[in-house]
Amino acid sequence: MAVGVLVFGHGAGLEIGAAPLGQRGISSSQSIPLLQFTSGLTHESHKKDVEQVYLRCSEGSIEWMYPTGALIVNLRPNTSPASYKHLTVCIKPFKDSAGANIYLEKTGELKLLVRDGDRSPSKVYCFGYDQGGLFIEATPQQDISRKITGFQYELMNKGIASDLHTVSAPCRPCSDTEVLLAVCTSDFVIRGSIQDVTNQAEEQESIIHVGVNKLYRQKSKVFQLTGESGNWRGQIKTLLECGVKPGDGDFLFTGRMHFGEARLGCAPRFKDFQRMYKEAKDKGLNPCEIGPD
């Protein structure tokens, strides 16, 4: 993980990183940057400073240590400006983030996004790229040395963001066409069984504990070998409302990575995937090749 610790002076501006284009519209480099900003410890006059940073990575984390004044975060992805209207920005505050309010800012108008002290567990806030940028304003504190404001951020295509944060998308069964396309475009594709399900009522999510029988693809090491038995296992998250339960039989699990977690996409029973894959292959309609066995 790349880490930069930066101490701002008055009126400083900074541009960080660059990321190539990818399947998500934009994608980060191999290491996910953690950007740390420090201010407010030495000069009283800095309490009204407004600093700016320009980030060109498609995902990363920001920590603002000892926040005073305000910080403007400008996301400048390494892609054509014409595609900005198709992008969604999502941020996920750190569990112990404190010391500042986070606003959505456009043409001088502020809309509160995350209030200082909001401890909503694992909550993700998403907005269209064209709705504005992030304006982070420090709140008055008696002791700023104990405050750190931080969050993760990701940029993605609007369609992907909608799938991740709309109840109907991950809960409804996928059509044959959607399954076959998911096999080609998902961040992970595995054949496996549901070993257990842990429901998290407070976060309105379920964790599916998966035993992996075959790993077709994964972009992150979510599914790993465990123990001396050499079995592959991993966890996939979905919405609690989907009502996932342990059961017999194999499934084809597909999905995307979101803030370092595997999120469920299409998940047909494996025998159904075999049928739809063979039918499409016989007609020459498969969008990509993958061994169905």
Side-chain angles (χ1 to χ4, degrees):
M1 176 177 287
V3 177
V5 180
L6 303 138
V7 182
F8 279 121
H10 178 70
L14 184 70
E15 180 168 339
I16 304 289
L21 291 171
Q23 284 188 346
R24 295 169 58 187
I26 45 180
S27 65
S28 69
S29 57
Q30 291 296 319
S31 59
I32 305 302
L34 168 62
L35 309 177
Q36 295 181 313
F37 307 101
T38 306
S39 66
L41 288 183
T42 55
H43 300 293
E44 186 73 15
S45 62
H46 283 184
K47 286 187 176 181
K48 294 185 178 180
D49 282 354
V50 178
E51 316 292 357
Q52 292 203 53
V53 291
Y54 296 82
L55 307 180
R56 295 186 63 81
C57 297
S58 66
E59 60 184 295
S61 299
I62 291 178
E63 285 187 355
W64 188 16
M65 304 171 69
Y66 324 127
T68 61
L71 183 66
I72 297 175
V73 178
N74 299 281
L75 300 176
R76 295 291 186 269
N78 187 29
T79 185
S80 168
S83 67
Y84 288 174
K85 63 183 179 180
H86 302 299
L87 298 178
T88 291
V89 181
C90 291
I91 68 169
K92 182 179 181 181
F94 294 151
K95 186 176 181 180
D96 55 355
S97 179
N101 293 322
I102 302 177
Y103 297 88
L104 190 59
E105 185 274 333
K106 186 172 184 179
T107 62
E109 294 186 7
L110 298 178
K111 177 183 177 182
L112 183 62
L113 201 61
V114 186
R115 188 181 301 277
D116 183 16
D118 186 352
R119 294 292 187 269
S120 301
S122 301
K123 186 167 184 179
V124 174
Y125 303 81
C126 297
F127 54 90
Y129 183 90
D130 53 3
Q131 289 182 255
L134 293 172
F135 183 89
I136 310 172
E137 184 178 36
T139 54
Q141 305 288 338
Q142 292 294 323
D143 183 5
I144 64 170
S145 67
R146 298 179 181 274
K147 304 298 181 182
I148 299 177
T149 298
F151 58 88
Q152 296 172 272
Y153 74 88
E154 288 185 356
L155 280 80
M156 63 191 73
N157 287 325
K158 284 185 176 179
I160 295 174
S162 176
D163 287 347
L164 287 167
H165 296 282
T166 302
V167 171
S168 61
C171 292
R172 68 171 177 81
C174 293
S175 67
D176 289 6
T177 301
E178 288 172 328
V179 170
L180 295 172
L181 188 59
V183 167
C184 304
T185 61
S186 294
D187 292 338
F188 63 88
V189 181
I190 65 167
R191 174 184 178 178
S193 57
I194 301 175
Q195 304 295 307
D196 196 10
V197 177
T198 302
N199 293 323
Q200 299 177 313
E202 187 178 5
E203 299 182 11
Q204 289 296 295
E205 291 186 328
S206 294
I207 301 175
I208 307 169
H209 303 269
V210 177
V212 181
N213 294 327
K214 184 165 183 177
L215 178 65
Y216 294 101
R217 178 172 65 254
Q218 66 170 336
K219 287 188 176 181
S220 300
K221 295 181 179 180
V222 174
F223 306 98
Q224 299 186 5
L225 286 170
T226 58
E228 297 180 358
S229 63
N231 294 326
W232 286 76
R233 297 186 182 279
Q235 297 180 350
I236 304 173
K237 283 194 171 184
T238 191
L239 298 176
L240 180 64
E241 190 164 338
C242 294
V244 178
K245 299 183 184 299
D248 297 330
D250 281 3
F251 294 82
L252 184 80
F253 294 101
T254 70
R256 297 192 177 275
M257 298 302 299
H258 191 43
F259 292 118
E261 298 175 338
R263 308 292 306 194
L264 185 64
C266 295
R269 287 196 173 272
F270 192 74
K271 62 180 182 181
D272 293 331
F273 165 66
Q274 287 179 305
R275 172 193 53 77
M276 62 184 74
Y277 183 88
K278 183 179 184 304
E279 289 177 357
K281 187 174 183 179
D282 290 345
K283 297 176 182 178
L285 298 176
N286 269 355
C288 67
E289 293 288 331
I290 185 172
D293 298 325

